[in-house]
Amino acid sequence: MSEYQYYEFRAIDRPLTEQEMASLRAISSRAHITSASFVNVYNYGDFRGNPEALMEKVFDAFLYVANWGTHSLMVRLPKRALGSRECAPFRAGENLRVWCKGEHTILCLSVHEAETGWEEGEGWIDSLLPIRAELLRGDLRALYLGWLVGVQSENVDGDVPEPPVPAGLRDLSPALRSLVQFLDIDSDLLEAAAELSVDQELADAPSEILSSSSWIATLPEQEKNGLLFRIALGNDPHVGIDLIRRFQEECPDAAVTTSPGSRTAGELLAERDRRAAERTRRDEERKRLEQEREAQHKASERAQYLDALEAREAQSWDQVNTLVATKRQKDYLCAVTLLTDLRDLANRKSGPAIFQERLRRLCTLHASKPSFLRRLKDAGLES
């Protein structure tokens, strides 16, 4: 099997400079490079750059997929929007790493043994990019999902308490549902974790969060002028995020709700196993009931067929003689099938002795046809 590695970087907050694009071209002559992205696929060889260093200096998002089951997503955020202290409770070894570089926080969510079979990387990053905006708005569900991957991969010790449980785990955004699939998170484990997650409507846009104009009016005039100046300069893409986070801090009702984690990693795994066993039991019970219904349906159809056969039983024995007399193999097969039906009819009528006598006479009549007699024996119908 050929090796497959997919690398895709995205620049979101600002376009790449000509110098940065030239540096990237020096890393790979085959990559597709634009002012907003770097994409390359390796079937032989390896990427000569350092993804972590490129994230620290240039890019805001990175996706990696390898055919041996490694899937990774990195996002870079302003440290003022999400710092390492907020991320610390969610760290999960190699499955969720967090580090800071300069004014940025970089998150790396990974799974190294995804059981998704051969998975190509094209298209994944577009479905996952909204996670970055969600994190900027204070939605920490992606961090909790990263911690769950660590629990699932047993890179989190069983006695480690879970981090704060974010609201909305039962109603994930499309991007978070993609993350669950990308990281191959067990559905039973996710359901177990969501037990403590409160339901909450999470705002999808800054305009929804800042719908209260009365709060904006309370900001000092000088501060509002400063915000307008930053917007006018156009070199700070996170002015709106800063305003949203401040609004959430000063108006707790607008902040994303979390519940204190009260379980350990081991308890979550035990609950996952219990749910999996219960789901298996339900599936087996459903399968058993379906099989019973199918058997009853077939038995009913068989009874109706034998009722009809009983009305033409004499003609059916004549038909058997006619079929066997042709000496054609396909007719032998039809004759044996019809004899099987006549046997079942006889058994239902409590008359197997009569059937066996007629079958004996039939075998005597056609004793010179060994192929037919062999088919009878194979079908368990020998006289």
Side-chain angles (χ1 to χ4, degrees):
M1 180 172 63
S2 297
E3 181 180 279
Y4 174 88
Q5 296 183 82
Y6 180 87
Y7 292 79
E8 182 168 359
F9 297 85
R10 289 287 183 91
I12 300 170
D13 290 344
R14 65 168 182 84
L16 302 178
T17 65
E18 291 292 334
Q19 183 178 357
E20 288 168 336
M21 293 173 67
S23 298
L24 292 170
R25 181 57 68 195
I27 293 174
S28 174
S29 59
R30 295 170 45 249
H32 178 67
I33 302 173
T34 71
S35 62
S37 66
F38 174 103
V39 181
N40 207 351
V41 176
Y42 293 86
N43 297 115
Y44 302 97
D46 207 347
F47 181 55
R48 289 186 295 157
N50 183 329
E52 294 182 3
L54 288 173
M55 285 293 294
E56 292 172 356
K57 297 177 183 178
V58 180
F59 291 103
D60 300 302
F62 166 70
L63 181 128
Y64 173 76
V65 172
N67 69 305
W68 52 80
T70 297
H71 294 180
S72 294
L73 173 70
M74 286 191 216
V75 292
R76 185 178 71 166
L77 309 159
K79 193 189 299 182
R80 67 179 188 265
L82 185 67
S84 59
R85 181 177 298 178
E86 293 173 271
C87 300
F90 301 94
R91 293 176 188 268
E94 61 184 8
N95 300 113
L96 175 54
R97 296 185 294 119
V98 182
W99 70 97
C100 294
K101 183 71 174 181
E103 296 302 315
H104 293 98
T105 300
I106 297 98
L107 311 176
C108 180
L109 298 93
S110 300
V111 62
H112 299 288
E113 296 180 355
E115 297 181 2
T116 54
W118 182 281
E119 187 83 59
E120 297 196 351
E122 288 83 352
W124 267 115
I125 201 166
D126 289 322
S127 67
L128 296 169
L129 272 182
I131 290 171
R132 184 173 183 267
E134 292 172 2
L135 287 165
L136 287 170
R137 293 199 297 270
D139 182 352
L140 303 184
R141 288 179 293 177
L143 292 179
Y144 188 91
L145 293 177
W147 183 79
L148 273 189
V149 176
V151 173
Q152 178 175 303
S153 302
E154 299 185 358
N155 288 323
V156 175
D157 290 339
D159 58 354
V160 171
E162 71 177 327
V165 183
L169 285 179
R170 280 187 288 267
D171 186 21
L172 298 178
S173 66
L176 289 173
R177 288 197 295 271
S178 291
L179 184 64
V180 168
Q181 183 181 356
F182 183 71
L183 296 178
D184 193 28
I185 298 176
D186 184 274
S187 60
D188 292 308
L189 181 60
L190 179 56
E191 286 181 10
E195 280 289 311
L196 294 185
S197 178
V198 301
D199 295 330
Q200 175 177 314
E201 296 242 351
L202 299 170
D204 292 324
S207 60
E208 296 179 56
I209 299 176
L210 290 172
S211 58
S212 173
S213 59
S214 60
W215 178 82
I216 296 176
T218 64
L219 294 176
E221 193 71 21
Q222 184 177 358
E223 186 171 350
K224 285 190 282 190
N225 290 338
L227 288 168
L228 288 172
F229 182 68
R230 288 167 63 191
I231 293 171
L233 288 178
N235 57 7
D236 188 345
H238 300 297
V239 178
I241 294 300
D242 290 344
L243 194 59
I244 290 168
R245 298 302 290 270
R246 177 172 172 181
F247 176 63
Q248 291 172 332
E249 290 170 3
E250 297 184 10
C251 304
D253 290 342
V256 178
T257 303
T258 59
S259 302
S262 62
R263 302 160 296 186
T264 65
E267 288 170 340
L268 281 171
L269 287 176
E271 177 61 15
R272 176 203 63 182
D273 294 342
R274 187 196 68 77
R275 288 171 178 266
E278 175 61 21
R279 179 169 46 78
T280 299
R281 186 197 65 77
R282 290 196 305 267
D283 290 344
E284 290 176 348
E285 177 66 12
R286 183 169 56 252
K287 183 178 180 180
R288 183 186 66 79
L289 292 174
E290 289 174 354
Q291 290 174 339
E292 285 183 359
R293 285 193 294 269
E294 180 67 17
Q296 290 171 359
H297 177 69
K298 289 182 177 179
S300 176
E301 287 186 333
R302 183 65 173 169
Q304 292 177 22
Y305 171 76
L306 293 178
D307 287 342
L309 181 64
E310 185 174 4
R312 60 176 196 279
E313 184 176 5
Q315 297 95 313
S316 297
W317 279 103
D318 292 339
Q319 185 180 357
V320 168
N321 274 309
T322 301
L323 288 168
V324 177
T326 66
K327 298 183 180 181
R328 292 194 294 261
Q329 294 298 317
K330 64 177 182 178
D331 289 338
Y332 287 170
L333 180 60
C334 292
V336 170
T337 300
L338 187 51
L339 283 168
T340 301
D341 295 338
L342 289 166
R343 180 200 58 191
D344 292 347
L345 177 61
N347 290 338
R348 192 176 74 163
K349 294 167 57 180
S350 300
I354 297 174
F355 171 81
Q356 288 299 331
E357 176 58 25
R358 298 193 71 167
L359 180 61
R360 186 191 63 77
R361 293 200 300 267
L362 179 71
C363 291
T364 300
L365 179 63
H366 298 288
S368 62
K369 300 182 176 68
S371 180
F372 168 66
L373 297 177
R374 185 171 60 252
R375 286 183 178 273
L376 283 177
K377 182 178 179 180
D378 291 344
L381 288 170
E382 52 188 342
S383 62

